Structure formats: C-alpha cells, structure tokens
C-alpha cells in the first residue's frame, strides 16, 4: 500500500490509465461486446491508432478480439475479459482511493517538512 | 465527450436508434390517428403506412450498422446470478428462469408505470360521474361534454349508485380509448426516462411522459368537472377534443413518438461524431 497520493498515482495501472485505452475499456465495460467501427466512432481514434491500442489490450489479456465474416466483409468484435473488467473496476477504485487520500494529505502528515533544530 | 457519456452512449446505443424504432412507430400511430380523425383519410391508408414504417425501420437499421457499427448490449440479468440458482432453489431451475430473464429493466419500468396509471385512471373513473360526449370527430365538430344524470335505482338496489362510474355510455367509451392511448404512451416515455438513468439529456422523455399522463388523468376525471348544462372552463373546453376524441389522442401520441425518435437520433449522431480521446487527454 502506497503512502502518498503521488506514489499511488505512480502505481496506477498503465494499461488502463492511457486516455485512449481508458475510453475503449469504458465503452466495452458498458456492453457485452462491440465492433471495431463502433469503438472507432465513440473514441474518435483513427483505424491505426485503435488497432494498435486493441492489440496492446489483447496482449495484456484485458480484451478478446474475434473476427468473423458478414456479407463477405470482416467484422471485428471486441469484448472485455473477466480480468479486463477487474482491471477497469480496480482502476476506478484506485482513483477513488487517491481522491480520498489526497483530500486528507498534508506535507506535515507525510513528514516531508524538515523539523526545526 | 467524457467517460460518462461514452458509457451512456454505449449502454443505450441500441435504444437511441430513433429512426429504427420510435419514428416508424410514431408514423404508424399518426396515420392511425389521421384515419380516425379525418373523414377523408381511408382506412386502407394504414397498409402503405405500415409498409413504409417497416421499410424505414429496416433501412435505418442497416444505416446504423454501416455508419456507427454494432453493440451487443449486456444481458438483463448477469448469467452468474442465474447459474448460482440450483434446481432446489425456490425460484426453480435455471431453464425455467429463461422467461424471467427476458423481462428487461426497461419493460419492467414500463409495465410498473402502466399499472400505476391504469389503477389511478380506474379509481378516477369510479369516483367521477358519467359524462355524455356529443359531437362527431370525423365531421370536425367541437365536442360538447355534459355530465350525465345518475340512473335511478329501485330503493332496494340503491347501493348500486356507488358504482355509477363502472357503466359507461357509448360516447364515453371512445374517449376512454384515447385516454388509454395517452396512458400507454405516457408510461412508455416515463419508463424510458427512468431506464436512461434520469439524465438531464433525457428530460424530453420526462416532459412528454408527464404531458401524456396528465392528459390521460385529466380526460379520465372529466366527470368531476363536467356540468349538466354542458358549460366548461375555457381551458378544458380548448383541450376537450384531445381529451375525448381517440383520433386526436393518437395524433398527439404519434407526434410525440416521432419527435422523441428524431431527437434520440440526433443525440446518437452527436455522441458518435466527436473525438472523445482528444478531449480526455
């Protein structure tokens, strides 16, 4: 457990904390699964950017990607895995803890102010 | 767009597709209302209207899939909850819960509100005296609403007078159809507002729901304000065609559905047209 909000911030899950990946994971956490086009429209990312972020999330085991053919076209479906759902929940929980500890934090309490004498 | 809006637009992506559901339903309701209200509108007009609505729903569905993609919504009830139930559970085995699982929260909101409205209208009907509605809707006549004199009962059957509201003259029955249309449509809008998390952006559903439910309750309680000489307050007199003519009621409900559908479509187009990540970073 980190002591200061700064340390807690530094320990945030980097896989989730990136704005683009956070937007993707937030959208996926609100549905069973979504296709590539929808994720592109809701996040406003370019195809290449979204593809790169999805690959990283898939490597980390946070999302599952399934490709299928619909009327001779490839459709890419993405869903959040159970660890992915846990990571998103954990991320928000951590942020809430940081918010709470930041409201209580003061330099004196953290012994950052050198004592006189 | 912030993360909360991303979550909302994703969760409600399918029911925000106004051109696919609400607008076709609204157009059919409008034509049905027109057929009942205008003498010059033939009944067979309903067939091309229904065909056009189906075509619009199909084309809009394809448009949404092609332009905005697809989202599979979360199940109404998480499967873990159902799997946790054994055959010894009082609720029964999992397969027997299949029907239960199909009742979505949206349907539950709608049904609960509809039952409440129906109950309130029924009580008001019982409490109020019968009214006589004179005037033809198709002839474009302004309705004249009079309080009906209570029937005289044999002294031994005097207790029946407590149930005067149950027996309706034929003219009043047509008015009740219109009031039912308001109740169904109003409960639908209010249910949709609750289902969409009572967000400020969904206040149009609240406004439409309250307006239509208000018309339903006002129409049902006409017996409380109607007089035997047919005189009415100017406001009630102005509203009376909407309160007693089912054609006008359906025209209003159809217009409300169409407007709500168009507004939903606009919201969806706005939500999926911006660049969320740029604003987040």
């Amino acid at each position: 457990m980190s002591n200061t909000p700064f340390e807690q911030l530094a320990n945030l899950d980097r896989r989730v904390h990136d704005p683009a990946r956070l937007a993707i994971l937030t959208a996926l956490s609100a549905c069973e699964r979504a296709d590539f086009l929808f994720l592109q429209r809701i996040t406003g990312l370019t195809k290449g950017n979204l593809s790169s972020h999805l690959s990283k999330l898939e490597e980390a085991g946070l999302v599952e990607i399934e490709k299928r053919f619909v009327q001779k076209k490839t459709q890419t479906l993405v869903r959040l895995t159970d660890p992915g759902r846990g990571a998103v929940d954990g991320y928000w929980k951590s942020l809430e803890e940081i918010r709470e500890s930041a409201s209580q934090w003061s330099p004196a309490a953290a012994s950052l102010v050198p004592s006189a004498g | 767009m912030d993360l909360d809006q991303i979550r909302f637009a994703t969760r409600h992506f399918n029911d925000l597709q106004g051109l696919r559901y609400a607008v076709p339903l609204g157009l059919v309701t409008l034509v049905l209302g027109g057929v009942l209200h205008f003498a010059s509108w033939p009944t067979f007009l309903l067939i091309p209207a229904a065909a056009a609505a189906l075509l619009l729903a199909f084309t809009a569905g394809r448009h949404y899939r092609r332009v905005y993609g697809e989202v599979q919504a979360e199940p109404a009830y998480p499967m873990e909850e159902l799997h946790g139930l054994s055959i010894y559970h009082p609720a029964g085995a999992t397969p027997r819960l299949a029907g239960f699982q199909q009742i979505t929260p949206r349907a539950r909101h709608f049904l609960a509100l509809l039952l409440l409205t129906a109950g309130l209208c029924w009580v008001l009907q019982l409490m109020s005296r019968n009214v006589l509605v004179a005037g033809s809707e198709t002839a474009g006549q302004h309705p004249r609403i009079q309080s009906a004199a209570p029937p005289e009962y044999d002294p031994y059957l005097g207790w029946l007078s407590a149930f005067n509201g149950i027996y309706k003259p034929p003219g009043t029955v047509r008015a009740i159809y219109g009031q039912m249309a308001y109740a169904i449509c109003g409960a639908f809008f209010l249910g949709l507002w609750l289902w969409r998390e009572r967000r400020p952006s969904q206040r149009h559903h609240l406004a439409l729901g309250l307006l239509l439910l208000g018309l339903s309750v006002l129409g049902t309680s006409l017996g409380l304000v109607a007089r035997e000489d047919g005189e009415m307050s100017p406001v009630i007199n102005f509203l009376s065609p909407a309160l007693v003519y089912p054609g006008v009621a359906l025209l209003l409900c159809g217009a409300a559905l169409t407007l709500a559908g168009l507004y939903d479509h606009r919201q969806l187009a706005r939500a999926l047209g911006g660049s969320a990540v740029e604003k987040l970073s």
Side-chain angles (χ1 to χ4, degrees), chain B:
Chain B
M1 188 153 69
D2 61 22
L3 289 173
D4 185 45
Q5 282 175 308
I6 289 178
R7 190 193 55 75
F8 177 78
T10 309
R11 178 169 284 173
H12 297 281
F13 174 69
N14 292 315
D15 57 79
L16 278 169
Q17 297 180 6
L19 294 182
R20 193 176 178 185
Y21 302 115
V23 173
L25 186 63
L27 290 178
V28 172
T29 313
L30 272 175
V31 174
L32 181 62
V35 167
L36 289 176
H37 187 69
F38 302 110
S40 57
W41 286 35
T43 311
F44 75 82
L45 212 60
L46 280 170
I47 297 167
L54 278 176
L55 185 69
L56 174 62
F58 177 74
T59 316
R62 265 182 51 173
H63 166 78
Y64 285 120
R65 268 197 304 278
R66 202 181 291 169
V67 178
Y68 301 121
E70 273 182 72
V71 171
Q72 192 181 330
E74 284 175 312
Y77 295 94
M79 286 310 286
E80 307 88 72
E81 278 181 29
L82 294 175
H83 288 150
L85 296 167
S86 78
I87 53 168
Y88 303 109
H89 195 279
T94 306
R96 282 174 54 195
L97 290 165
F100 172 71
Q101 195 188 359
Q102 283 164 10
I103 301 173
T104 61
R106 187 174 18 173
R108 272 186 288 135
H109 284 137
F110 167 68
L111 288 174
L113 286 164
L114 188 62
L115 276 175
L116 278 175
T117 313
L120 177 65
C121 289
W122 189 68
V123 170
L124 284 170
Q125 288 276 4
L126 278 182
M127 280 168 56
S128 59
R129 285 177 296 172
N130 277 334
V131 289
L132 294 173
V133 180
S136 163
E137 179 169 12
T138 46
Q141 293 171 340
H142 194 82
R144 183 177 160 81
I145 302 162
Q146 283 175 279
S147 170
E152 287 182 14
Y153 292 101
D154 187 275
Y156 297 106
L157 297 172
W159 55 272
L160 274 174
S161 60
F163 299 100
N164 273 344
I166 289 177
Y167 306 104
K168 298 293 167 200
T172 316
V173 174
R174 275 176 66 82
I176 292 174
Y177 289 143
Q179 290 147 18
M180 277 165 55
Y182 286 134
I184 293 169
C185 217
F188 169 76
F189 281 121
L190 214 55
L192 207 55
W193 176 70
L194 290 172
W195 165 239
R196 291 193 187 162
E197 304 158 34
R198 291 175 279 175
R199 292 171 74 91
S201 65
Q202 303 301 312
R203 273 188 296 219
H204 57 292
H205 286 119
L206 174 67
L208 288 170
L210 290 179
L211 176 74
L212 296 176
L213 288 178
L215 284 171
S216 176
V217 169
L218 190 60
T220 316
S221 52
L222 269 178
L224 296 173
V225 290
R227 291 184 358 195
E228 282 183 32
D229 58 5
E231 285 295 311
M232 304 214 87
S233 79
V235 178
I236 302 286
N237 193 41
F238 173 74
L239 288 174
S240 57
L243 298 177
V244 297
Y245 286 158
V248 178
L250 287 173
L251 282 170
L252 284 174
C253 290
L257 281 166
T258 310
L259 282 175
L262 289 172
Y263 195 69
D264 280 351
H265 169 74
R266 185 167 160 259
Q267 284 193 329
L268 189 66
R270 277 187 170 186
L272 298 179
S275 57
V277 175
E278 273 178 26
K279 287 171 193 168
L280 282 174
S281 48

Side-chain angles (χ1 to χ4, degrees), chain A residues 107-108 111-117:
Chain A
S111 311
L112 288 177
V113 179
S115 53

